[in-house]
Amino acid sequence: MTDRLYKWLLPDMTTAVQGETWPVAVGEWTPKETPILCASGWHGMREKDVLAHLPSTLGAQLWVVEVKGKIVHGDDKFAASQMRLIECIGTTDESNLRLFACDVAEDALDIFEDEYPNDTRPRNAIEVSRRFANGDATRRELTAAGDAARAAARDAAGDAAWAAAGDAAWAAARDPAWAAAGDAARDAAWAAAGDAAWARYSNWLVVRIESGY
């Protein structure tokens, strides 16, 4: 089975980087272009790189795409001669991005709590962030919990992994939500010390957006 390919578009159907309006209807092939990474052609990504290109605009649309013709691959993207939009699987919003940030912060939590089992500040920040995303906590509570998690990360600064795990919890409580998502994933992946964690978090983001919660 061929892996799905993806592309981010902004709410007004413009491309996230160039700001150009998508030129054809859904299901139609784009005009042919010479694919040159970051210069020309129709750019997209594999699932492992969806998170790396998360737009800073809420309401961004994640599309499944198909490509044909010449394809040039980069480290985290590709450029193709032609592309067509197949299906929009969902959009980003305050709730799904913050809940995603909580997911990845929680994934790193054991790293922190194995060394500091009595320090509940990062765990509390994640719990408050989840409640905030669901409308059950105030922004003041969110800010206080995030500040406490940040202090916990600073207290653990003697070890990079412990501090990164605490920072992931702090990031989950940050604004705006897209920054919280990206920063929490970066810190959690750093704590896990592997590119595999980043690819896993990219998958989690796709699942969050596609599931609609």
Side-chain angles (χ1 to χ4, degrees):
M1 180 179 177
T2 303
D3 291 340
R4 287 199 298 185
L5 303 177
Y6 297 91
K7 183 173 185 65
W8 286 108
L9 290 177
L10 300 185
D12 60 358
M13 293 293 287
T14 57
T15 56
V17 176
Q18 299 90 350
E20 297 179 356
T21 301
W22 192 255
V24 293
V26 174
E28 293 183 1
W29 289 102
T30 58
K32 291 182 180 180
E33 289 193 3
T34 301
I36 301 173
L37 289 171
C38 302
S40 63
W42 304 96
H43 287 66
M45 72 219 93
R46 299 189 182 279
E47 183 182 88
K48 69 180 183 63
D49 300 311
V50 167
L51 176 57
H53 297 280
L54 175 65
S56 59
T57 301
L58 291 182
Q61 305 170 6
L62 184 59
W63 285 84
V64 175
V65 300
E66 290 182 351
V67 296
K68 67 178 181 179
K70 184 178 179 181
I71 302 172
V72 178
H73 294 278
D75 291 338
D76 64 352
K77 56 183 167 291
F78 64 82
S81 297
Q82 289 183 276
M83 178 181 288
R84 64 178 176 181
L85 304 177
I86 301 302
E87 176 189 10
C88 178
I89 65 170
T91 62
T92 61
D93 59 36
E94 165 71 27
S95 179
N96 60 24
L97 289 183
R98 193 172 299 281
L99 289 172
F100 164 76
C102 292
D103 292 342
V104 297
E106 196 167 51
D107 190 56
L109 193 58
D110 284 348
I111 296 171
F112 183 90
E113 293 184 339
D114 282 348
E115 183 63 24
Y116 302 99
N118 297 318
D119 192 336
T120 62
R121 289 175 291 179
R123 180 174 293 277
N124 181 64
I126 296 169
E127 292 174 351
V128 172
S129 297
R130 287 193 189 282
R131 291 197 291 111
F132 181 83
N134 291 317
D136 297 323
T138 65
R139 188 166 295 277
R140 178 176 293 182
E141 290 175 298
L142 181 71
T143 299
D147 288 346
R150 180 59 168 158
R154 288 173 176 164
D155 291 344
D159 184 280
W162 302 333
D167 274 340
W170 168 64
R174 288 187 57 198
D175 284 322
W178 68 267
D183 290 347
R186 180 202 63 213
D187 293 329
W190 176 262
D195 290 340
W198 185 264
R200 183 169 73 251
Y201 299 151
S202 194
N203 168 259
W204 290 5
L205 178 60
V206 172
V207 170
R208 273 285 181 191
I209 292 172
E210 190 167 17
S211 66
Y213 73 95

